[in-house]
Each structure stands twice: as C-alpha cells, then as structure tokens.
Amino acid sequence: MTTTACAHPNIALVKYWGKAPGPGNVPAAPSLSITLDTLVTRTSVAFAATDTFELDGHTVADSKLAACLADLRTEHDVPPLSIRSSNNFPTAAGLASSASGFAALVTAINAHCALGMDDTRRSIFARRASGSAARSIFGGFVGLAGPEWSAAPVLDAASWPLRVVVAVTAAGRKSVASSAGMRLSMASPYYPAWVSSTHDDFDTGLALVGARDFTALAELAEHSCLKMHGLMLATRPGLLYWNAATLACLHRIRELRAEGLPVFFTVDAGPQVKAVCLPEAASAVATALAELPGVIQILEAGLGEGARVEQP
Ligand code: PMV
C-alpha cells in the first residue's frame, strides 16, 4: 500500500533569510508568501525494511530528509519507509523545491502512518526541516510568524488570483544552499537592520494583501527581495546568486511596469526570476521575458492549494 501527497512551491513576497538562535530551525523574522499551482512535488511513501529515498528516479542520501524523519520519530511511531519523490520543475535551483518537498513528505507520512496531525502540526514539522516548507502546507497567500512559527493562511487563492511567470536562467543546483548562506549572512553588519525591518515589512504586507493593493505590494515585495540580496552581497564571502540574465529580467520587468503593466519581480537563493502579475498582464510578461538572451525556459503558474493527499 502506498500513500501519495502533493505540494506546490511557494514564493515569498516578504522574504525569510536568517534563523533565530536555538533549536527548531525558527526563522529570525516573519515572512509572507504565495503558493503556486502548476509546479508540483509528488511524494509517495510505503512501509519498507529500511528507509530509502528516491528523487526523480535516482536513489539519493539526503541528510535533511533523514533529519526530518528522525524529528518525526521523536514524537510519533513512524516505521521504516520507502519514499519516492518527483518534481515537475528544476530541483534546488531557487524554485523552492525543498519547500514543496518537505510539505509533501510530512503530509504523505502523516496520512500513511495515521499520525493525526492537523495543518498546524504538519507546518511546524515541515518548518523544522526547511523554513519555507512551513508555508507550502497552505494555499493562496500564507504568513509564517511567531510565536508558534507555524504558517497560517492569509487570503485564499480565489480571492486575489495573481499569476506568476518564472524565467529560468540556469539549470542545475545552486552554488550555496540557503541554510549555509543564512548562517554566513548572520555575521553581516547589515543583518540586524534586515531582521528588524522585516518585521515591519511583514505587517505592511498583510495589510496590502488584505486591501488587494497591487501597486503598493509590488513596491514592498521588490524592496524585500532587493534588501535580502543586499544582505547576501554584504556577507563574507559575498553570496551572489544572480547571473546576467537574472539582471536583464529585473530591468525588463521594471520597464514593463513603467509602461503600465501590473508586474513586479522577486528572486530567491538562485538565478531564476519570478514575475508576479495581475492575470491580464501574464502573457505579455511571458513573451517579453522569453525574448531576453539567457532565459532558457518560461514557466507559468497561478496561485494554488496547500499540500494534500491524492486519492489513488
Ligand atoms: O526554507 P529555505 O531554507 O529553503 O530558505 C528559503 C529562503 C528564501 O527562499 C530565499 C526566502 C523565502 O522566504 O522563501
């Protein structure tokens, strides 16, 4: 018997970068995200003699996955499992595959082993494995904040159906994994200002989503993104996740907005650019980004649902 769950990546509009001191992989500041629909991780679990993990058809040893299983086993009876996971998008290249991956994993194990966890508990276990994974438990607009540091829904997808055009500018794995990068950034002289201002950005973001104020959300989200990359650059050694095509996309998106298209950019710990837009702008944005040298693929998504079990 196999249980399959699926989950989508999420893209932060108010970014998370840096951890609170102490155990539990607690973020240093809150974050606000949107969950996508067409990009998906599908994870199947079955009982087995020993734990095994297959990602996109290849057997892999994954220390973060092993740590997530060990964490679940501190509170629950989880027998050895055969786990098979696949993504329909590039893995570990700044497209949040760890977010959808751990959200799908915890959801599949919860159902298969009848652990009885609600969304909040699953979000906490997913967060301990990968901070942003807490948010992929939920759909639409999602906040991740204290004191519990479980994610929680802010606004459902249908209430403000934004679109996201992803410009893929490089394949392959990113140069510095986010947890290692965050540890380095915490020694940056910019770090205290980043943490304190992100608390304010989160409160502003919640209000702007509630008011469906696209223009002000565009300004806030680009600010949070560029501020995070400013911190990354001001880290030792400097974390430079962008390539030439990344930068070309950012300039083009600003030109499109100046021409009147409702669109803004955000970039995570990788070179891909996510252009968030109102639905009527999506096809013009996709066409404009596809024309840029160095853009190798365009993906499109709307806002999607949270992690869920798939019926066989
Ligand atoms: O959850 P992690 O460790 O993959 O970190 C995610 C960090 C960013 O994607 C850069 C920002 C965010 O809030 O998702």
Side-chain angles (χ1 to χ4, degrees):
M1 200 193 102
T2 297
T3 304
T4 302
C6 68
H8 305 287
N10 69 79
I11 305 296
L13 306 181
V14 174
K15 302 290 188 191
Y16 146 60
W17 193 255
K19 299 172 195 291
N25 198 34
V26 173
S31 55
L32 174 66
S33 62
I34 46 178
T35 301
L36 306 183
D37 61 1
T38 51
L39 312 188
V40 62
T41 298
R42 240 182 213 96
T43 299
S44 300
V45 298
F47 295 124
T50 54
D51 288 334
T52 55
F53 178 49
E54 215 179 81
L55 177 62
D56 291 331
H58 302 283
T59 300
V60 289
D62 184 315
S63 59
K64 283 178 79 178
L65 180 123
C68 180
L69 289 175
D71 188 27
L72 284 165
R73 285 173 178 142
T74 60
E75 288 182 32
H76 295 282
D77 182 19
V78 178
L81 295 170
S82 148
I83 300 165
R84 300 168 70 167
S85 194
S86 61
N87 295 320
N88 72 346
F89 60 94
T91 296
L95 285 178
S97 59
S98 70
S100 50
F102 283 109
L105 177 74
V106 171
T107 301
I109 294 175
N110 180 53
H112 193 70
C113 304
L115 305 185
M117 290 193 280
D118 63 9
D119 290 352
T120 300
R121 282 309 291 166
R122 284 188 289 122
S123 179
I124 288 172
F125 274 105
R127 182 259 293 158
R128 289 187 201 154
S130 172
S132 57
R135 302 184 309 234
S136 278
I137 295 292
F138 300 97
F141 295 78
V142 181
L144 173 59
E148 293 300 321
W149 297 100
S150 155
V154 169
L155 185 71
D156 60 283
S159 294
W160 200 17
L162 303 183
R163 305 267 325 155
V164 179
V165 175
V166 181
V168 178
T169 65
R173 300 183 84 84
K174 61 191 166 200
S175 47
V176 181
S178 53
S179 44
M182 286 184 203
R183 271 195 300 279
L184 293 171
S185 289
M186 290 168 71
S188 168
Y190 288 12
Y191 187 70
W194 158 255
V195 171
S196 64
S197 63
T198 295
H199 281 90
D200 297 339
D201 292 346
F202 178 71
D203 293 341
T204 307
L206 289 182
L208 296 178
V209 169
R212 323 268 204 283
D213 185 339
F214 188 86
T215 306
L217 187 64
E219 196 282 325
L220 177 75
E222 288 194 357
H223 170 66
S224 178
C225 165
L226 293 175
K227 189 164 51 178
M228 178 182 76
H229 285 276
L231 167 64
M232 290 164 161
L233 292 170
T235 291
R236 280 192 169 144
L239 303 171
L240 181 48
Y241 288 108
W242 299 355
N243 58 34
T246 311
L247 196 53
C249 289
L250 304 194
H251 284 300
R252 189 75 186 102
I253 289 165
R254 286 214 160 158
E255 276 169 22
L256 294 172
R257 190 158 76 249
E259 289 163 12
L261 280 188
V263 58
F264 64 85
F265 62 72
T266 190
V267 187
D268 292 296
Q272 329 304 2
V273 176
K274 293 97 181 191
V276 182
C277 50
L278 292 178
E280 62 269 24
S283 71
V285 170
T287 305
L289 296 182
E291 283 168 358
L292 295 176
V295 171
I296 54 181
Q297 192 185 1
I298 295 286
L299 308 169
E300 277 195 58
L303 303 197
E305 294 173 56
R308 59 209 179 270
V309 173
E310 292 192 325
Q311 298 315 320

